[in-house]
Amino acid sequence: MNLTFHTELFEHRWIASERLAQHGFEWLADYTTIDLLHEEFGLGVGGIRDESAACRMVAILQAMFPTWRYLSVFEKDWGDRDLGWWIEIHRDPERQTGLYG
């Protein structure tokens, strides 16, 4: 298995956090995490409390990263961390994770 690591995603995460703050979104109040998606070269914003906030965040992230064509929005209602709406936006398609992927 070949692991991928993109250091520039750390800067993208910081900039995304700043941009969300400029639009009135506060870390831990409106969302709980911004994860790095190294395999797909992207970001995952999770633990978003409100569906309408998730929709507004999608627009912000798409404007920030216009060449990142892959987008997924879903509600996480399992586990014990970062429950709520999730946005995953990335540049590269997702890789298959099954036995033959």
Side-chain angles (χ1 to χ4, degrees), residues 4-85:
T4 305
F5 186 79
H6 299 282
T7 57
E8 59 269 39
L9 287 176
F10 290 97
E11 183 174 350
H12 289 314
R13 176 176 57 190
W14 182 82
I15 293 169
S17 175
E18 288 293 313
R19 186 71 51 90
L20 290 173
Q22 290 170 358
H23 284 86
F25 294 108
E26 294 182 33
W27 177 56
L28 296 180
D30 298 304
Y31 65 95
T32 58
T33 188
I34 300 179
D35 290 344
L36 307 179
L37 307 175
H38 289 285
E39 291 294 319
E40 297 85 14
F41 196 91
L43 299 174
V45 180
I48 304 166
R49 310 279 185 236
D50 181 62
E51 183 179 6
S52 64
C55 292
R56 293 193 326 268
M57 288 181 188
V58 165
I60 294 164
L61 294 169
Q62 285 180 317
M64 288 182 64
F65 305 108
T67 60
W68 294 9
R69 302 179 344 198
Y70 301 96
L71 176 72
S72 175
V73 181
F74 58 93
E75 187 175 15
K76 180 182 173 196
D77 60 358
W78 67 93
D80 58 356
R81 265 185 19 97
D82 303 319
L83 299 176
W85 290 92

